[in-house]
Every structure is written in structure tokens, then in C-alpha cells.
Amino acid sequence: MRKPECDYDVVVAGGGAGGVGAALGAAKAGARVLLVEKYGFLGGAATTSQVLAYCGFFQQGPEPIKAVDGAADLVLDELRRLGLDCAPFSSPTTQNWIILLESEAVKLALDRVLAANGVEVLLHTRIAAATRTADKIQSVTLAGMDGRTRVSAESFVDATGDANMSLVAGVPCRTGDLDGKLQAISAPI
């Protein structure tokens, strides 16, 4: 239950697949959610970097076996309403079942799904600062087209992909494992 002094239950920074999933999950659980995205549209790599496939919805193997649903189904259903096929396609290079995308349809689908689920979205907005009490973030300052605004919440999710919220909140971060080693490429060579 939201405390009276909080603007939101959850603030999610980053409007890519992870941030959208976090926002939809929190909203479905009854939370009042704000999603903040630095670009003028949602979608993350699918829209900003033209990575035009969703992977991981199906298990690897000779037949597509569904592996996830929930927020993913909401987005895929909206993409189908917009005319995309969304049938799984077997990638010859990775042996993964993928869903081919069209970036403009993804932008519109995400807008519609978040609105339908009561998620408030601020585009062209970044996390500029954070106020902490001990290890807990209490509020963030948002910098957007209308200037700066401070919002408080019970929970915060950093789904920026570059740890922006964690950075401004002073959360210690590391690169790689405890030895600094990064994950090796996972595609077959």
C-alpha cells in the first residue's frame, strides 16, 4: 500500500523490454507506476538500435516451445492487432526461435499496452539525482523537457541498461564477475 508521502509505489527508469516488463508486472500487482525513458519513445534496443527481433520467448530446439508469457503476451497481442505476424522464426545462426519486429509498431504497441495497464510514462526524461536514506532510495529528481521534478516512491527499478539510476544514487557497481571477466559470446561460431 502506498504511503501518503509517496508519489508512486514504483518508479522504473528505462523503457526497454526489461523496464516495460517491470512496469507491467508492478502495475498488474496493483502498484501505481511511473516509467521514465530518456528517448522520445519506448522499446530499447528494438527501437533505438534496430535490433528487430525478440529472443527468449521460446526454448531452443527443433520446435518452438513457449518459455514466457505475462507482459510478453500483452505486447505480442498488441503487435498482432497492429498487423504483425509474431510467429516464431527459427534463426539459422543461433538456433533460437525469434519474433521478427517492426520498430514503429513496437513503439505504438508499447505505448498502448502501458496506457491500458495504467502505467504513467514520461518520455524525454532522465534520472538526474537521487536522495537516499542509508541504502534505500527515497526519491529521484527527473530532468525532462518541462524542467526538473522530484518524485518519491516505495521502490525503484533501474532498467536503463547503463545503470543510470544506480550511478546517480551512488550505488557501487562493478564490471564483470568478481575477477572483472565478462560473459563470453554465446552465439555458436
Side-chain angles (χ1 to χ4, degrees):
M1 180 175 209
R2 185 171 63 252
K3 293 183 180 177
E5 67 272 12
C6 288
D7 299 308
Y8 296 93
D9 297 310
V10 180
V11 172
V12 178
V20 167
L24 287 171
K28 288 285 193 186
R32 182 164 183 237
V33 181
L34 172 66
L35 187 147
V36 179
E37 170 55 46
K38 69 181 176 180
Y39 294 115
F41 49 85
L42 302 169
T47 55
T48 63
S49 303
Q50 298 295 302
V51 178
L52 300 177
Y54 277 152
C55 301
F57 289 3
F58 300 89
Q59 296 177 14
Q60 286 185 330
E63 299 295 324
I65 299 170
K66 191 173 179 181
V68 297
D69 56 20
D73 282 341
L74 295 174
V75 174
L76 293 178
D77 288 346
E78 187 60 36
L79 286 169
R80 285 184 195 97
R81 279 191 281 282
L82 291 170
L84 266 67
D85 180 19
C86 295
F89 168 78
S90 179
S91 169
T93 58
T94 64
Q95 301 173 358
N96 287 325
W97 290 93
I98 62 175
I99 296 173
L100 299 177
L101 302 174
E102 198 283 313
S103 61
E104 294 303 313
V106 171
K107 292 176 189 179
L108 181 56
L110 295 177
D111 286 346
R112 288 180 176 178
V113 168
L114 289 169
N117 285 278
V119 175
E120 192 173 330
V121 177
L122 290 177
L123 301 174
H124 296 290
T125 304
R126 292 178 178 260
I127 306 290
T131 303
R132 289 180 15 178
T133 301
D135 290 337
K136 183 171 174 31
I137 298 175
Q138 300 295 316
S139 66
V140 292
T141 300
L142 308 176
M145 301 299 282
D146 294 333
R148 290 181 176 248
T149 305
R150 185 174 168 176
V151 297
S152 61
E154 283 298 304
S155 299
F156 296 84
V157 176
D158 188 337
T160 60
D162 58 7
N164 176 251
M165 184 188 303
S166 300
L167 177 70
V168 300
V171 175
C173 297
R174 71 167 194 253
T175 300
D177 65 10
L178 293 175
D179 297 323
K181 295 179 183 172
L182 301 175
Q183 178 179 340
I185 187 168
S186 55
I189 297 177

